[in-house]
Amino acid sequence: MLYLKGTVQHSEKKNFFDGKVAFISGGSRGIGFAIAKEFALKGTHVVFTYLRSRTDADQAQKQLSAFGVRVEPVRANMGNKDQVRKVFERIGNEFGHLDFMIHNAATGDLKPALDLTDEEWERTLEMNLRSLLQCVRLSVPLMAGRRGKIVSISSHGSYRCLPNYAAVGVTKSGIESLSRYLAVELAPKGINVNVVMAGTVETQSLQKIPGHEEMLHVAKARTPAGRIGRPQDIAHVVSFLCSEESRWIVGQTIIADGGYSLLA
């Protein structure tokens, strides 16, 4: 048996996420909650917004707090500039900084483009796209010197024409494009900006779409991985993009769909 002379020193690597602060828009259920849970599991304090159900928010806060982190649910419409500004003021007052900003909340009326009213169109643009730029503007000062991470959630509708998905799809495409520009501007500041394009994921929101059962059946049959996506699948990818190991990934849209788009 061969022995090498010398001393090998071992040191425990500190948990990169421990004690940091994450903001997730739309974090009380679905993909947003799965992302919040992933952060909480790693010891990251969580601030998340919700819009309608206080019950969902309270349940999410209870589950996340069980991991020993601070959890701050905030009711806010991400399409309202004043409400968004107040969310980030609260983050600054409560924590003094921010490490991870996850742009997840989205809305959109499912109908053909020419059937959309001006109000429906503008509401979707405000919440899905304009709010991303505002959130980034407000996040950057809180991320100063902290090598922050910004991740947005997109979908196949950003590049494929899905039935009745025009309003959402256009904003998702905009999110991907805007993220590339932001990535170039913020990389010199040590802030990474990326996007996760989620395939079909079984959530409460999906169940509200007419014909969702058929949609799930077709998606499963066409997915090489052999199943429908789960919220935690997307959360794991987001977590990686927020890790130190992802620092060389800048301005990219990572597709997480079990291989579905390879055959589409």
Side-chain angles (χ1 to χ4, degrees):
M1 183 177 293
L2 177 66
Y3 292 91
L4 297 178
K5 293 182 179 180
T7 301
V8 179
Q9 295 182 346
H10 299 275
S11 60
E12 292 186 7
K13 185 177 180 180
K14 183 181 178 182
N15 177 6
F16 177 75
F17 293 88
D18 190 45
K20 295 195 173 185
V21 180
F23 166 70
I24 304 102
S25 65
S28 63
R29 56 193 177 94
I31 293 173
F33 174 72
I35 294 170
K37 184 177 180 180
E38 188 72 13
F39 278 124
L41 278 166
K42 297 178 184 293
T44 301
H45 306 300
V46 172
V47 179
F48 70 84
T49 59
Y50 68 98
L51 184 57
R52 295 182 179 86
S53 175
R54 178 70 200 190
T55 299
D56 286 347
D58 288 343
Q59 290 177 349
Q61 181 182 28
K62 182 178 179 180
Q63 292 181 55
L64 298 174
S65 297
F67 297 108
V69 298
R70 288 181 60 185
V71 181
E72 300 285 341
V74 184
R75 184 190 290 272
N77 178 352
M78 295 304 295
N80 184 296
K81 295 178 183 179
D82 290 336
Q83 291 183 29
V84 171
R85 176 178 51 79
K86 290 178 180 178
V87 170
F88 283 87
E89 287 179 353
R90 180 167 175 175
I91 293 172
N93 292 334
E94 293 288 334
F95 298 96
H97 62 270
L98 181 65
D99 299 284
F100 312 114
M101 197 285 283
I102 313 302
H103 180 65
N104 168 70
T107 190
D109 293 270
L110 301 177
K111 56 174 65 175
L114 295 180
D115 291 344
L116 291 165
T117 65
D118 288 346
E119 180 183 1
E120 291 167 342
W121 173 249
E122 291 165 5
R123 180 173 63 244
T124 307
L125 289 174
E126 285 288 308
M127 178 175 286
N128 298 5
L129 184 55
R130 186 207 55 77
S131 66
L132 170 59
L133 183 57
Q134 183 184 12
C135 287
V136 172
R137 285 172 172 163
L138 295 171
S139 294
V140 169
L142 295 171
M143 290 181 172
R146 302 188 65 84
R147 298 194 62 84
K149 309 282 188 175
I150 295 169
V151 181
S152 296
I153 305 300
S154 185
S155 70
H156 286 155
S158 69
Y159 74 99
R160 294 181 60 215
C161 294
L162 305 178
N164 301 320
Y165 201 72
V168 182
V170 168
T171 59
K172 294 298 187 181
S173 181
I175 285 170
E176 294 175 18
S177 181
L178 176 58
S179 293
R180 288 191 288 271
Y181 282 96
L182 292 171
V184 171
E185 293 183 24
L186 294 178
K189 299 179 183 290
I191 298 174
N192 285 55
V193 182
N194 290 291
V195 179
V196 176
M197 181 191 294
T200 303
V201 179
E202 193 162 11
T203 63
Q204 292 179 1
S205 297
L206 184 66
Q207 293 174 4
K208 297 178 182 179
I209 298 176
H212 75 275
E213 292 182 356
E214 178 64 18
M215 182 189 304
L216 291 174
H217 176 75
V218 172
K220 181 178 179 180
R222 294 180 60 178
T223 300
R227 65 171 174 82
I228 297 300
R230 300 164 184 149
Q232 55 266 39
D233 293 324
I234 309 306
H236 292 158
V237 180
V238 171
S239 178
F240 172 72
L241 289 176
C242 290
S243 70
E244 185 65 11
E245 288 75 15
S246 72
R247 60 188 174 276
W248 209 236
I249 301 176
V250 177
Q252 302 302 305
T253 295
I254 307 299
I255 302 174
D257 65 0
Y260 178 94
S261 56
L262 298 176
L263 302 178

